[in-house]
Amino acid sequence: MERREISGCNSDGGLNTLICQEDLQDEEYPYPYSNQDRQQVSTSRMTPWRHCRLAAVSLALLAAVLLIVDISLGVHYDGCRHCPPGWILMNSLCYYFSFSDNAGIKSWQKARNFCQMYGGDLAVIDTKDKENSTVNLLIHKKDPSKSLAGFWIGLRDVHEEGTWKWLDGTTLVEGYWNDGEPNDVNNEDCAAVYPRENFFKAWNDVGCANAMKWICEKAPTMS
């Protein structure tokens, strides 16, 4: 049987169907889409995937940049906080502990005067973290050959018995009193912290005129 060729088509004659390139294209993109429409449809099928991948990569890069900036700022600001000689940086504040024998002992008011002379005040221990850090340091520095010594803090109930207030004017919310304290024996209106193993029971009320060690606090200098 004679094989006939038609431009753009193939046929082997007889009952075989004439197949043209236009027919194949029309099956994939049926009428009425034009060539331009077919290209747009093909592109639109791929675009969402590309957009998703681009968005995911962009978010990952942004998260990495933010993390680097956050770490850099933290290192910068932590590294710029300074305390004067004899003071230590703890809980983002500068603290002075009168451990030295040369510092002597003072009444509550004279201890406060000392702190104010150096731009600070008696310590305000109003969180568990501050209490834990303070007592742990006292325990670490404690001289086992000496009796248990207390340190004045910025807490008293001198204006109203039983209403303990910090020097910044705030009322005590959670105290860390030793068992049986505060008991106000002999008009004890000032508070002191002691190096006790259980920091939840490290405070006593003491007569403000008693001579004791003390703890100062102040904000660090920034540079």
Side-chain angles (χ1 to χ4, degrees), residues 65-166:
V65 170
L66 290 175
L67 178 61
I68 293 172
V69 170
D70 184 56
I71 293 173
S72 299
L73 287 175
V75 171
H76 172 73
Y77 285 111
D78 286 341
C80 292
R81 293 173 179 166
H82 299 284
C83 295
W87 296 63
I88 63 172
L89 182 64
M90 185 173 69
N91 299 314
S92 301
L93 291 171
C94 294
Y95 288 88
Y96 172 82
F97 292 79
S98 61
F99 291 121
S100 172
D101 290 336
N102 294 331
I105 53 178
K106 301 180 185 296
S107 67
W108 187 93
Q109 186 59 53
K110 288 184 177 179
R112 186 184 188 191
N113 293 343
F114 176 94
C115 297
Q116 292 176 328
M117 182 172 61
Y118 288 95
D121 213 329
L122 287 172
V124 173
I125 307 176
D126 54 359
T127 68
K128 285 187 177 68
D129 287 340
K130 288 182 180 180
E131 172 72 2
N132 189 23
S133 300
T134 301
V135 174
N136 281 336
L137 185 60
L138 292 178
I139 292 173
H140 179 70
K141 294 289 187 178
K142 181 177 64 175
D143 187 345
S145 65
K146 296 181 179 180
S147 60
L148 193 67
F151 288 70
W152 291 126
I153 58 177
L155 182 67
R156 57 182 178 171
D157 70 343
V158 66
H159 298 297
E160 182 181 351
E161 183 60 38
T163 301
W164 292 85
K165 291 188 176 182
W166 297 106

Side-chain angles (χ1 to χ4, degrees), residues 1-214:
M1 183 177 295
E2 181 182 356
R3 180 183 181 88
R4 290 176 297 151
E5 294 185 0
I6 301 177
S7 176
C9 306
N10 294 321
S11 174
D12 58 358
L15 298 177
N16 291 338
T17 303
L18 183 66
I19 301 175
C20 300
Q21 293 179 358
E22 289 81 5
D23 294 333
L24 290 173
Q25 293 174 351
D26 288 341
E27 288 178 4
E28 184 176 0
Y29 298 101
Y31 178 84
Y33 291 106
S34 64
N35 288 337
Q36 183 177 358
D37 293 333
R38 295 166 187 164
Q39 184 177 2
Q40 291 176 350
V41 171
S42 177
T43 303
S44 66
R45 291 177 179 176
M46 299 175 64
T47 299
W49 293 100
R50 292 177 179 173
H51 285 175
C52 290
R53 291 184 62 187
L54 180 60
V57 171
S58 300
L59 289 174
L61 289 175
L62 179 60
V65 170
L66 290 175
L67 178 61
I68 293 172
V69 170
D70 184 56
I71 293 173
S72 299
L73 287 175
V75 171
H76 172 73
Y77 285 111
D78 286 341
C80 292
R81 293 173 179 166
H82 299 284
C83 295
W87 296 63
I88 63 172
L89 182 64
M90 185 173 69
N91 299 314
S92 301
L93 291 171
C94 294
Y95 288 88
Y96 172 82
F97 292 79
S98 61
F99 291 121
S100 172
D101 290 336
N102 294 331
I105 53 178
K106 301 180 185 296
S107 67
W108 187 93
Q109 186 59 53
K110 288 184 177 179
R112 186 184 188 191
N113 293 343
F114 176 94
C115 297
Q116 292 176 328
M117 182 172 61
Y118 288 95
D121 213 329
L122 287 172
V124 173
I125 307 176
D126 54 359
T127 68
K128 285 187 177 68
D129 287 340
K130 288 182 180 180
E131 172 72 2
N132 189 23
S133 300
T134 301
V135 174
N136 281 336
L137 185 60
L138 292 178
I139 292 173
H140 179 70
K141 294 289 187 178
K142 181 177 64 175
D143 187 345
S145 65
K146 296 181 179 180
S147 60
L148 193 67
F151 288 70
W152 291 126
I153 58 177
L155 182 67
R156 57 182 178 171
D157 70 343
V158 66
H159 298 297
E160 182 181 351
E161 183 60 38
T163 301
W164 292 85
K165 291 188 176 182
W166 297 106
L167 292 178
D168 59 8
T170 58
T171 302
L172 176 67
V173 176
E174 182 177 10
Y176 305 97
W177 301 105
N178 193 18
D179 294 335
E181 302 287 343
N183 53 23
D184 195 36
V185 174
N186 299 321
N187 195 29
E188 297 175 329
D189 293 330
C190 292
V193 59
Y194 290 77
R196 295 194 174 99
E197 293 295 335
N198 185 353
F199 74 83
F200 285 106
K201 299 180 178 182
W203 294 359
N204 279 17
D205 60 339
V206 182
C208 299
N210 287 18
M212 304 182 68
K213 296 290 188 178
W214 67 94

